Amino acid sequence: MDTARTAAYLRRIGVERPAAPTARALRALHLAHLRSVPFENLSIHLGEEVDLTEKDLLAKIVDGHRGGFCYELNGAFAALLAALGFEVTLLQARVYGDDGRPGIPYDHLALRVGTEDGGDWLADVGFGTHSHLPLDFAERGEQTDPGGTFRIAPAPGGDLDVLKDGRPQYVVDQRPRALADFGAGAWYHRTSPKSHFTQSLVCSLVTPTGRVTLSGNKLTVTTGGEREVTELATDEEVIAAYENHFGVTLDRAPRVAEPVRIGGR
């Protein structure tokens, strides 16, 4: 990322360029990203390609004022952090399912970020309802965050479990990865009928008072723990909600596609 692209990204999330790549700066960038760039899977249901290159991710998130899912959000955020002088390592993770078992390899992309003042952090702006601030990578006790109580715990094989409010969220492989390594995981989640991304629509954003989420035609605004749910009656209302709540401009309302059937099944 050159200076102009970095400046454009910082404008996208509404923050000034930090004076140095410190832990304090990382926290500010992390929270600003969550409040500005939605977690969304609309491309899957709009027939748009998802290309995991820095150029394409920045074009979508910065120029197109869109969001994305983990590979896109954390991939782009990694590029921004590196441009600002942070030490960034891409990590692959497997997300725990309802059955308590981790999913496929490269199920999720998370970031390990080193700061100039000696900090070592787990940053993740691409996991939906997760920590609002980076987690201390070396800390094994509970870490209190606006998003809940988190803990990073040792797992078999040198991996690390990330828990929220006592429940395992995903297991992290600590070996460094490249963005291109996540292509198979992104393809799976864009195409498999077993992926929750192909089964539903989601667009969600952290707000100063809670969170706003649009799932299909159901708009949920959470304020101080109180949830207000509105059923949107028309496509026009859905399109307006994307614009008004997320800054996402669409020319049509996305719809969940029928899963691909193989061999007549």
Side-chain angles (χ1 to χ4, degrees), residues 42 44-46 198 201 234-235 242 252-258:
L42 305 183
I44 294 172
H45 304 289
L46 290 170
T198 61
L201 279 161
T234 67
D235 284 353
Y242 281 118
R252 68 186 189 279
R255 301 186 188 283
V256 176
E258 289 293 326

Side-chain angles (χ1 to χ4, degrees), residues 53-71:
T53 67
E54 182 178 307
K55 177 182 177 181
D56 288 313
L57 296 183
L58 296 178
K60 180 179 181 180
I61 291 171
V62 179
D63 302 333
H65 211 83
R66 285 281 301 279
F69 55 167
C70 69
Y71 312 105

Side-chain angles (χ1 to χ4, degrees), residues 59-253:
K60 180 179 181 180
I61 291 171
V62 179
D63 302 333
H65 211 83
R66 285 281 301 279
F69 55 167
C70 69
Y71 312 105
E72 300 171 288
L73 297 178
N74 283 324
F77 192 46
L80 173 64
L81 293 178
L84 294 173
F86 292 92
E87 182 180 342
V88 186
T89 302
L90 276 60
L91 303 176
Q92 77 94 1
R94 300 169 67 192
V95 179
Y96 283 100
D98 294 336
D99 60 359
R101 297 173 59 84
I104 64 168
Y106 297 95
D107 204 11
H108 181 59
L109 164 60
L111 306 176
R112 184 173 185 172
V113 182
T115 61
E116 183 181 81
D117 47 358
D120 189 17
W121 304 91
L122 179 68
D124 193 342
V125 295
F127 197 65
T129 54
H130 198 57
S131 66
H132 293 193
L133 301 170
L135 301 175
D136 187 334
F137 201 89
E139 175 60 51
R140 296 295 174 260
E142 292 187 344
Q143 302 187 47
T144 302
D145 179 271
T149 300
F150 292 83
R151 187 163 63 90
I152 300 174
D159 293 343
L160 297 171
D161 276 333
V162 179
L163 299 94
K164 175 185 176 182
D165 299 330
R167 296 187 61 182
Q169 303 296 295
Y170 54 79
V171 57
V172 178
D173 181 335
Q174 298 191 66
R175 291 173 293 179
R177 307 294 181 178
L179 185 58
D181 294 340
F182 295 85
W187 175 84
Y188 170 86
H189 282 300
R190 286 192 298 114
T191 60
S192 173
K194 296 183 179 180
S195 167
H196 60 277
F197 287 116
T198 61
Q199 298 173 23
S200 62
L201 279 161
V202 65
C203 187
S204 188
L205 193 65
V206 173
T207 69
T209 57
R211 176 175 292 274
V212 57
T213 301
L214 181 57
S215 300
N217 70 332
K218 182 183 293 184
L219 179 68
T220 303
V221 178
T222 304
T223 305
E226 298 292 325
R227 299 170 74 246
E228 179 182 350
V229 180
T230 304
E231 296 280 350
L232 305 178
T234 67
D235 284 353
E236 288 73 21
E237 290 181 357
V238 170
I239 292 170
Y242 281 118
E243 176 71 37
N244 296 334
H245 292 280
F246 308 99
V248 172
T249 302
L250 301 176
D251 58 7
R252 68 186 189 279

